[in-house]
Amino acid sequence: MRKKTGIFLTAMMTLVFCVQVSAASENVSSNKLGVFEGFNYELWKDGGDGNMTLTGGGKYECEWNDSGNVLFRTGKKFDQTKTHDELGGISVDYNADYRPNGNSYLCIYGWSVDPLVEFYVVESWGSWRPPGATSKGTIEVDGGTYDVYETTRRNQPSIQGTKTFQQYWSVRTDKKTGGTVSVSEHIEAWEEMGMELGKMYEVALCVEGYQSSGRANITKHVMTIGDDSLGGTKSASASEAANPDTEEAEFSPEVLGTLVFGIGAAMYSLNANK
C-alpha cells in the first residue's frame, strides 16, 4: 500500500509542477492590460505588428515591426486618489537589451489626472531624440544630465479618451540602458519649473516604437514605491525556499505531453494493482 501511495503522490506532484511551469510566462499580441506576478502590464498599439512576452517579476521581451505607435509596459497602476508625494518616493531599477531600428524610446512612462498629464523619463532612444521641442532647462538626476521639455497634445488618444493634454519630458543627454531612475526627483524638478502633476494613474517601464521596428528584453525591473518594492526575485514557493539552489525548469509542449502521459500510466498501474 505504501508503494502505491508513493506512486500516486509522485504523479500528483509532477502534475502540480507542470501547471506551475505552464504559467511561467504570458504572451500578449493584441491591445490588452492586466496583472502578472504583481505588476500591471499593458500593450497598446494603433497599427502594425507588436508582440510582448511577460517573463515574470516585471520583466518582459517585446518585438515590433512596421508599427504605427506601439507601447509595451509593466509597472503599477494606481487608483487616482493620491499624488506622488502621498504615495512616497518612486524609483525604478532596471536593465534592458534594447535594439530599436528607427524611432523608439526606452523610458519611464506614466499618467496623472487632474490635471491630465502624460510623462516620460527617456533613458535611451532610436534614430530620433524626442520630443523635438525647446528645452526648458537641464537637471542632474542619478548622475546623469536630462533636458526638460513640456509639449501639448491636441485631440489625441489618452487614458480618458480623445483629449488635449500636456506632456512632460526628461530626456538624458547620453543614452543609458540600465541602472536606477529616481522618478520622484524628476517630478519634483518639473514642479519647480511650474509643471504640476495631479493624482497618479500609472508609472511603468516602457518601450515605445513609432513607425519603426525593433526588439527589447527587459532583464531586470525593480520598482520601489514608498516602503514597498515590486520585482527583483520571484516570490519563492515553499519548496524553493527549502532548496534555494533549485533552478527554474522550462519544458517544451512535447516534454509536457510525455510527463502527463507518464502520470496517466502511473495512475492506471495503481488502479490495476489494487
Side-chain angles (χ1 to χ4, degrees):
M1 179 66 182
R2 183 176 298 173
K3 182 177 180 181
K4 294 179 182 179
T5 302
I7 293 173
F8 177 74
L9 288 176
T10 300
M12 292 305 297
M13 289 174 66
T14 304
L15 177 60
V16 170
F17 180 67
C18 291
V19 171
Q20 290 178 335
V21 168
S22 67
S25 64
E26 182 171 329
N27 185 260
V28 184
S29 58
S30 59
N31 286 13
K32 184 179 179 182
L33 55 85
V35 178
F36 188 76
E37 292 196 354
F39 278 79
N40 294 96
Y41 69 85
E42 185 167 355
L43 166 57
W44 181 91
K45 59 182 178 178
D46 64 3
D49 296 325
N51 186 75
M52 179 184 194
T53 301
L54 303 163
T55 55
K59 302 182 290 294
Y60 63 92
E61 299 176 16
C62 62
E63 187 171 5
W64 68 101
N65 187 44
D66 296 327
S67 70
N69 190 199
V70 57
L71 289 88
F72 312 91
R73 59 198 196 259
T74 61
K76 181 68 175 177
K77 292 191 191 301
F78 306 99
D79 61 6
Q80 306 171 57
T81 63
K82 294 181 180 180
T83 65
H84 75 95
D85 284 331
E86 292 169 330
L87 289 170
I90 303 172
S91 65
V92 174
D93 191 15
Y94 78 99
N95 194 61
D97 180 8
Y98 173 59
R99 304 192 181 196
N101 181 19
N103 188 4
S104 172
Y105 323 137
L106 171 66
C107 58
I108 306 301
Y109 175 84
W111 288 88
S112 80
V113 298
D114 301 323
L116 181 64
V117 175
E118 182 182 36
F119 62 86
Y120 290 82
V121 178
V122 179
E123 295 286 279
S124 189
W125 57 92
S127 59
W128 182 72
R129 183 174 183 262
T134 301
S135 173
K136 297 186 68 171
T138 61
I139 58 175
E140 300 288 330
V141 182
D142 301 317
T145 302
Y146 293 78
D147 284 305
V148 175
Y149 304 90
E150 181 177 4
T151 56
T152 302
R153 296 279 284 169
R154 301 190 185 279
N155 299 318
Q156 296 296 321
S158 80
I159 57 172
Q160 296 179 346
T162 301
K163 293 276 188 177
T164 295
F165 52 90
Q166 296 303 104
Q167 290 180 322
Y168 299 162
W169 301 79
S170 287
V171 184
R172 281 184 64 96
T173 56
D174 59 321
K175 298 179 180 182
K176 186 178 81 171
T177 57
T180 298
V181 182
S182 299
V183 182
S184 292
E185 290 189 31
H186 288 271
I187 296 174
E188 290 164 2
W190 296 339
E191 291 179 337
E192 289 178 2
M193 296 178 175
M195 300 159 58
E196 298 289 334
L197 285 179
K199 305 295 179 64
M200 300 299 289
Y201 169 81
E202 177 184 16
V203 176
L205 179 57
C206 176
V207 175
E208 180 170 356
Y210 181 72
Q211 297 181 354
S212 64
S213 61
R215 59 188 174 89
N217 184 7
I218 305 301
T219 58
K220 180 181 182 182
H221 184 187
V222 180
M223 177 172 286
T224 302
I225 304 165
D227 295 327
D228 298 324
S229 291
L230 295 172
T233 304
K234 286 186 179 181
S235 58
S237 67
S239 61
E240 288 170 335
N243 300 283
D245 294 329
T246 300
E247 294 183 359
E248 182 180 355
E250 295 184 1
F251 295 98
S252 67
E254 292 80 7
V255 173
L256 286 175
T258 301
L259 288 172
V260 172
F261 177 82
I263 292 172
M267 295 182 73
Y268 176 84
S269 176
L270 177 63
N271 289 326
N273 291 321
K274 284 183 177 178

